[in-house]
């Protein structure tokens, strides 16, 4: 199926519409929560795969970008009372800049050294937020949510639609990257980076672009969290669990295609949620 095919764009429009009308079917709110979590991991796994799968640079900084997105949205809400679309856009912009900066500092490293550097970067960012009293520091910050926007009965229903839109956008971006010159260049980096450089491929530039795109999507996935949970604290939003889960989902589903992380996220996140429900 081509990226610009009619079925692709029809699915991209119908999925958010289905998420909007889903509560009318009488589903329990818990299943809407499960859907939100699964869609969140689709965004994270897809974003991780742009650098980790296509380029072969295993990144353990997913939690850092997710947390930065959550706190960026929190700041925009506290300081400017920004609506959610502005929070998501602002978080994505900050995530892209952070990805670019982190890439400049770490992408000259290879293999395990790059992975260790991403863990170190995540710890540094978390430590900074832990000591930033304006956003609550280690104690976190409670959010007083405004009234639910018109057209939605609860925040759970609204944020399910928002996360569906983000998941669809992340898949569109991943498909575009995979089929474009950027994807071909990243695969050349993954297969033989030295040979690609000798052939004139701008490897560092490609990796930086991949870092920026990946960081923007990860941060966007974290932006709805403050309004969703009404509480944000560093240890949970910067958790290494996000990094491990995103990596595992891409690996299980397959890293060579945009579809792999989507399937892996659906399989693992759904299994995790229902296993937690069964054991409680």
């Amino acid at each position: 199926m081509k990226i610009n095919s009619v079925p692709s764009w029809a699915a991209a429009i119908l999925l958010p519409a289905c998420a909007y009308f889903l509560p009318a079917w009488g589903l329990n709110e818990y299943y809407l929560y499960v859907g939100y979590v699964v869609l969140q991991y689709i965004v994270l796994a897809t974003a991780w795969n742009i650098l980790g799968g296509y380029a072969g640079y295993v990144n353990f900084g997913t939690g850092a970008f997710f947390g930065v997105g959550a706190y960026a949205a929190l700041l925009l809400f506290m300081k400017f009372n920004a609506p959610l679309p502005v929070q998501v856009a602002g978080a994505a912009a900050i995530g892209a800049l952070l990805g670019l900066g982190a890439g400049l500092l770490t992408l000259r490293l290879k293999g395990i050294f790059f992975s260790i550097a991403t863990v170190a970067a995540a710890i540094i960012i978390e430590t900074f937020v832990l000591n930033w009293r304006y956003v609550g520091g280690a104690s976190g910050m409670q959010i007083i949510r405004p009234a639910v926007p018109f057209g939605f009965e609860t925040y759970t229903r609204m944020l399910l639609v928002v996360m569906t839109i983000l998941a669809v956008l992340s898949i569109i971006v991943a498909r575009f990257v995979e089929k474009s010159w950027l994807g071909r260049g990243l695969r050349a980096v993954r297969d033989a980076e030295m040979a690609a450089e000798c052939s004139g491929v701008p490897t560092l530039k490609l990796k930086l672009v991949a870092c920026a795109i990946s960081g923007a999507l990860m941060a966007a996935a974290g932006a709805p969290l403050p309004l969703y949970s009404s509480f944000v604290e560093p240890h949970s939003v910067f958790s290494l669990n996000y990094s491990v889960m995103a990596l595992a989902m891409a690996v299980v589903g397959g890293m060579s295609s945009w579809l792999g992380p989507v399937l892996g996220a659906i399989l693992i996140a759904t299994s995790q949620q229902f296993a937690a429900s069964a054991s409680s």
Side-chain angles (χ1 to χ4, degrees), residues 193-276:
E193 184 169 352
M194 188 64 71
E197 286 183 359
C198 294
S199 300
V201 177
T203 57
L204 180 59
K205 177 182 177 181
L206 294 177
K207 291 185 291 184
L208 287 174
V209 173
C211 274
I213 295 173
S214 180
L217 292 175
M218 290 175 181
L225 185 66
L227 290 179
Y228 189 83
S229 64
S230 298
F231 181 74
V232 181
E233 62 89 19
H235 290 299
S236 60
V237 298
F238 288 100
S239 174
L240 186 63
N241 181 61
Y242 290 112
S243 303
V244 175
M245 289 287 284
L247 186 156
M249 290 166 179
V251 170
V252 169
M255 298 188 293
S256 61
S257 168
W258 63 270
L259 184 59
V262 176
L263 296 177
I266 293 172
L267 175 63
I268 295 178
T270 303
S271 301
Q272 182 191 47
Q273 293 302 313
F274 282 106

Side-chain angles (χ1 to χ4, degrees), residues 57 106-115 193 197 207:
Y57 274 70
T106 61
L107 282 173
R108 297 186 187 278
L109 302 173
K110 301 288 194 300
I112 189 64
F113 300 105
F114 171 79
S115 300
E193 184 169 352
E197 286 183 359
K207 291 185 291 184

Side-chain angles (χ1 to χ4, degrees), residues 76-114:
L76 288 169
F77 178 73
M78 290 171 55
K79 194 76 174 176
F80 306 106
N81 198 27
L84 185 56
V86 176
Q87 295 176 36
V88 173
I94 293 173
L97 291 174
L98 178 62
L100 191 61
L104 287 171
L105 293 174
T106 61
L107 282 173
R108 297 186 187 278
L109 302 173
K110 301 288 194 300
I112 189 64
F113 300 105
F114 171 79

Side-chain angles (χ1 to χ4, degrees), residues 1-3 8 171-179 258:
M1 186 184 297
K2 295 181 180 179
I3 295 176
S8 296
I171 292 170
I172 291 172
V173 170
R175 292 184 68 185
F176 175 78
V177 169
E178 181 182 330
K179 303 298 182 182
W258 63 270

Side-chain angles (χ1 to χ4, degrees), residues 32-133:
L32 303 183
Y33 166 79
V34 171
Y36 176 90
V37 173
V38 172
L39 291 165
Q40 171 187 279
Y41 276 115
I42 287 176
V43 179
L44 292 176
T46 300
W48 183 93
N49 199 55
I50 290 174
L51 183 65
Y54 297 159
Y57 274 70
V58 178
N59 171 24
F60 284 100
T62 303
F65 289 96
F66 182 85
V68 164
Y71 272 95
L74 174 63
L75 279 171
L76 288 169
F77 178 73
M78 290 171 55
K79 194 76 174 176
F80 306 106
N81 198 27
L84 185 56
V86 176
Q87 295 176 36
V88 173
I94 293 173
L97 291 174
L98 178 62
L100 191 61
L104 287 171
L105 293 174
T106 61
L107 282 173
R108 297 186 187 278
L109 302 173
K110 301 288 194 300
I112 189 64
F113 300 105
F114 171 79
S115 300
I116 293 172
T118 60
V119 174
I123 292 172
I124 291 170
I125 295 171
E126 181 181 359
T127 302
F128 174 77
V129 175
L130 279 168
N131 293 281
W132 192 4
R133 293 187 178 181

